[in-house]
Amino acid sequence: MRILIIKLSPIEAITSSMFRTLAIARGLSEAGHKIDYLVVPMNKLNSVSSEKEFIKELNVIRTSKSEAYEKNVINAENSFKALRKQILRKIWHSLSVYDYTYLIAKKIKIDILPVREYDIVISSSDPKSSHIVVENLRKQGLRYKRWIQYWGDPLSIDITQKSIYPQWVLRLIEKKLIKNSDKIVYASPFTLSKQKELFKDYKDKMVCIPTAYMEEEIYPATDNQKFIIGYYGNYTARVRNIMPFYNACRALGDKVSVAIYGDSDVKLQATPNIAIHDRGIVDEHKRIADLLICILNSSGTQIPGKLYHLAGTNKKVLVVVDGEQQQEMREFLLSFDRFYVCGNSQEEIENAIVSIMKDNKEFLPLPELRYDYIANRFIE
């Protein structure tokens, strides 16, 4: 089949949503399908991931840049322009439910595609403007047999949503977005349940398919003098509470060596046993780590994609559950028989790490989360 995947992010960027979409693309490509993959160009605000060999098998199509956004936000370099950049970004995100790629989605022309007819079109968010592209191209003559929408955070219950609009307005916008799709895929069973409740007219085309890992990562056994722990991911205060983990690691002192990689508005202080880094490539640290950490969101129904990517390794993984559905999430995660799970308190995390340090259990990547298996489920 010929398949068009639309993901309005740079294909080189380090984001969980790009990794899960690339996992689907890889699985479909290796199954013999022809993949056109529509993305936006890189800009200076993006962090770059290590290059994946299988991307060469995809027909990557890059849109043009948004000149207004590049001029006023990306390329603001002196102090006045930097301040203006911050103000413009805040205004944009308060007045729009989409990011800057909305400007690209509305202007994109069908001539950018090599063909006008596909067996399947897959639009993947975030950004949510990826779905708008399909509606725009439909009006210009795009034809397909099925349109599958792949959602990370839903629009109206997205805890990262910063717009000024009330929930009922966001739901109207979201209803319009999902209306014409043939299948809607969510990565969390809790999100699926909530969405079926909110959008009863479309519940029969909604499914939950867990996030696939993009590639298996098998590492040799470690022989570290100290127990090495890695946390790789953003930890914005309103989304994720990293402080209990941070404080637990401080309390453990020289028993552990910890590295935290990620963007945040929380200013953590480095200590003799805790290193703090911006978001970046973590391949080398992951190779030597004894334990990988995933902290779930403080509220909402979503499960961070990084959890499933970590399941593609043979490393020990501790998942720290949080929010109003802690017990349900704990039961769901334990059903995989792959993760250690604890609550988001300093005492629980500290006790869990000490217990894991003594545990000789070995793990392998979960076969039911392999990219090829999940890609096949995706187009069923």
Side-chain angles (χ1 to χ4, degrees), residues 283-327:
D283 296 0
E284 182 57 29
H285 189 269
K286 190 189 295 185
R287 185 183 65 80
I288 64 172
D290 297 295
L291 175 66
L292 306 178
I293 304 292
C294 179
I295 301 174
L296 300 195
N297 297 344
S298 303
S299 62
T301 61
Q302 281 298 91
I303 296 174
K306 72 174 68 64
L307 169 70
Y308 298 104
H309 303 314
L310 297 180
T313 74
N314 62 333
K315 297 286 186 177
K316 295 178 178 179
V317 178
L318 172 61
V319 185
V320 180
V321 297
D322 206 344
E324 59 275 10
Q325 292 185 284
Q326 282 191 47
Q327 186 56 38

Side-chain angles (χ1 to χ4, degrees), residues 246 250 258 260 267-277:
Y246 175 78
R250 289 190 65 175
V258 182
I260 296 173
K267 302 302 180 185
L268 298 179
Q269 297 297 316
T271 73
N273 73 317
I274 305 175
I276 309 298
H277 306 276

Side-chain angles (χ1 to χ4, degrees), residues 26-233:
R26 181 181 185 182
L28 295 175
S29 176
E30 292 186 5
H33 302 295
K34 172 69 175 176
I35 308 298
D36 293 331
Y37 201 100
L38 183 63
V39 299
V40 299
M42 285 287 292
N43 64 51
K44 292 191 294 186
L45 300 183
N46 298 128
S47 298
V48 181
S49 67
S50 52
E51 186 176 352
K52 307 299 181 185
E53 188 68 24
F54 71 86
I55 291 177
K56 296 177 182 178
E57 302 302 317
L58 310 177
N59 178 34
V60 178
I61 306 166
R62 289 178 170 82
T63 70
S64 57
K65 297 181 178 181
S66 169
E67 294 183 6
Y69 189 81
E70 289 282 325
K71 178 181 178 181
N72 294 302
V73 178
I74 300 297
N75 294 322
E77 293 178 350
N78 62 40
S79 58
F80 172 75
K81 288 184 177 180
L83 177 60
R84 184 180 66 178
K85 176 175 89 170
Q86 292 180 354
I87 294 172
L88 287 173
R89 282 172 65 90
K90 287 183 179 179
I91 292 173
W92 173 271
H93 287 293
S94 65
L95 296 178
S96 175
V97 299
Y98 306 104
D99 68 3
Y100 77 97
T101 57
Y102 175 80
L103 303 172
I104 297 173
K106 296 298 286 185
K107 292 183 178 181
I108 197 164
K109 300 300 181 185
I110 197 168
D111 293 342
I112 198 171
L113 301 177
V115 297
R116 297 194 176 201
E117 187 169 344
Y118 290 87
D119 295 288
I120 296 176
V121 172
I122 299 172
S123 55
S124 178
S125 59
D126 286 312
K128 297 168 180 68
S129 54
S130 301
H131 308 304
I132 292 177
V133 173
V134 183
E135 291 289 5
N136 183 8
L137 294 177
R138 268 164 46 98
K139 296 174 183 176
Q140 299 178 52
L142 177 66
R143 297 290 178 264
Y144 49 80
K145 295 175 183 175
R146 296 173 72 201
W147 175 13
I148 302 174
Q149 290 187 355
Y150 193 13
W151 284 81
D153 297 307
L155 182 57
S156 60
I157 59 173
D158 184 356
I159 64 174
T160 66
Q161 178 62 246
K162 299 176 182 178
S163 76
I164 61 174
Y165 300 107
Q167 287 282 311
W168 68 269
V169 172
L170 295 177
R171 282 174 190 154
L172 285 175
I173 297 171
E174 187 168 7
K175 183 176 181 179
K176 185 177 180 181
L177 274 178
I178 66 177
K179 178 181 177 182
N180 293 319
S181 63
D182 298 296
K183 182 177 181 178
I184 307 168
V185 179
Y186 299 105
S188 161
F190 310 104
T191 298
L192 174 65
S193 177
K194 185 65 175 179
Q195 290 296 95
K196 284 188 171 185
E197 178 185 319
L198 292 174
F199 302 100
K200 292 182 173 64
D201 291 345
Y202 307 119
K203 65 179 182 180
D204 292 339
K205 60 182 180 181
M206 295 177 175
V207 299
C208 174
I209 301 177
T211 298
Y213 52 80
M214 193 163 46
E215 54 191 352
E216 291 186 349
E217 300 174 52
I218 305 295
Y219 299 95
T222 60
D223 186 25
N224 301 314
Q225 291 185 333
K226 288 186 179 181
F227 193 74
I228 296 180
I229 301 173
Y231 174 86
Y232 319 129

